[in-house]
Amino acid sequence: MTALPTFQRPLDGVTVVSLEHAIAAPFCTRQLADMGARVIKVERPGVGDFARGYDARVNGLSSHFVWTNRSKESLTLDVKNDEARTILDNLLGQADVLVQNLAPGAATRLGLSFDTLHAEFPGLIVCDISGYGEDGPYHDKKAYDLLIQSEGGFLSTTGTPGSQGMAKAGCSVADIAAGMYAFSNILSALLLRGRTGVGSHIDVSMLESLVEWMGYPMYYAFDGAEPPPRAGASHSTIYPYGPFPTGDDKTVMLGLQNEREWQAFCEKVLQQPELAGDTRFSTNARRSEHRDELRALIVRVFSGMTAEEVLARLDEAQIANAHVNDMHGVWAHPQLKARQRWTLIDSPAGEIPALLPPGQSSTYAPRMQPVPALGEHSEMILAELEYGRDDIQRLKDNRVI
């Protein structure tokens, strides 16, 4: 584990208020916190972000919640209560950014639309994250990650051949895409506000975020052309590119990109240089067309070797390759360890390891602070807003916080 030296961070002094749940908005705001922003997470009293209850895999805490909520302050607030709205307005008056991914229409019903807020807080940046965006025929439709994977065509490209072979991504890819675009748009809005002094409205759609990532298969199917077929863990249009079993019951991943690599693969890996001139395999298109025959040849050679022996030959031939790791293999990955990419953070369940954010800067260390307990910072935040002890106790008694 390692701790980097702390310098001034890019978002030091920026305050973010977030009405968030699940993954898309929390992933966005956690990255803002990584860069130094103060993130005040508004949660329902007694319940909180429902992602807190997804599982209990991290010493009793939810794996999703631990991943997306470090370095935040938790304020419990019943936003439907009139007195809670006063508290929220006081917070927004001091904030730079509001992020929300409530159910469709909920923010508007709460008086938190950009138009309403902009009139009172002209410098506030408002980022709304939803499944389909604020208008269009789907604007009020509920959306979860798997549903967006389906609507966005992602499921048509994943899994094994045939209509029943679809498989979803093993992580929340649509939520992550939306969170990333929310994050980058907020950074852009902060830069723009620095020039104009005026806040922006950002409308992030999970569907649009994921469809942007589907650019290759969409253009491959341009103008009615046949879409790329499902190919399991192999590449749908490049071959050999994918997993292959070895003689010690393990699997290696490899990928070829050009004819020079194909020749080296035949000579140094398969040790059958004559295959390079075989007309069935003379171009990528032909190799892909005859992939079953070529796979049988490769598997036959690899069956007499261990995974490490295959990887050694691939390295010698300068063919791209990889181990097929499970999560335990990733936790123990030698490259992450060598680059000191792990640190420890605190949580309500004690210290837990956390991956430092991708993108190592020479000028600042990311903020890596605790995962908050539900309502842990409510009293502190209210005290900053000049609420006295008696007022705070009354708010508790009335279940406002």
Side-chain angles (χ1 to χ4, degrees), residues 16-32 41 50 68 72 97-108 112-114 125-135 138-145 148 172-186 200-210:
V16 179
V17 175
S18 188
L19 280 70
E20 59 182 28
H21 56 247
I23 302 303
F27 186 50
C28 164
T29 57
R30 194 219 75 191
Q31 293 179 92
L32 295 170
K41 181 184 181 77
F50 55 71
T68 58
K72 299 181 185 180
V97 182
L98 170 66
V99 180
Q100 69 85 20
N101 68 332
L102 303 176
T108 299
L112 298 174
S113 69
F114 174 74
I125 295 163
V126 178
C127 180
D128 298 324
I129 306 173
S130 62
Y132 297 99
E134 69 172 10
D135 54 9
Y138 282 39
H139 77 278
D140 61 351
K141 195 175 177 70
K142 279 190 174 182
Y144 302 124
D145 185 86
I148 297 298
S172 305
V173 64
D175 281 317
I176 293 168
M180 291 301 299
Y181 285 113
F183 172 58
S184 60
N185 272 272
I186 289 169
S200 304
H201 179 212
I202 301 165
D203 174 17
V204 176
S205 153
M206 290 171 63
L207 177 67
E208 291 159 18
S209 300
L210 188 61

Side-chain angles (χ1 to χ4, degrees), residues 14-19 38 40-42 75 77 79 84-100 102 107 110-114 116-128 193 199 381 385 387:
V14 171
T15 298
V16 179
V17 175
S18 188
L19 280 70
R38 180 187 188 186
I40 298 173
K41 181 184 181 77
V42 178
L75 165 67
L77 199 60
V79 294
R85 181 53 198 266
T86 300
I87 296 170
L88 190 56
D89 281 346
N90 289 336
L91 277 176
L92 293 175
Q94 302 177 17
D96 300 283
V97 182
L98 170 66
V99 180
Q100 69 85 20
L102 303 176
L110 291 169
L112 298 174
S113 69
F114 174 74
T116 299
L117 293 174
H118 189 63
E120 189 172 359
F121 312 113
L124 183 67
I125 295 163
V126 178
C127 180
D128 298 324
R193 194 188 64 175
I381 293 168
L385 296 175
Y387 282 79

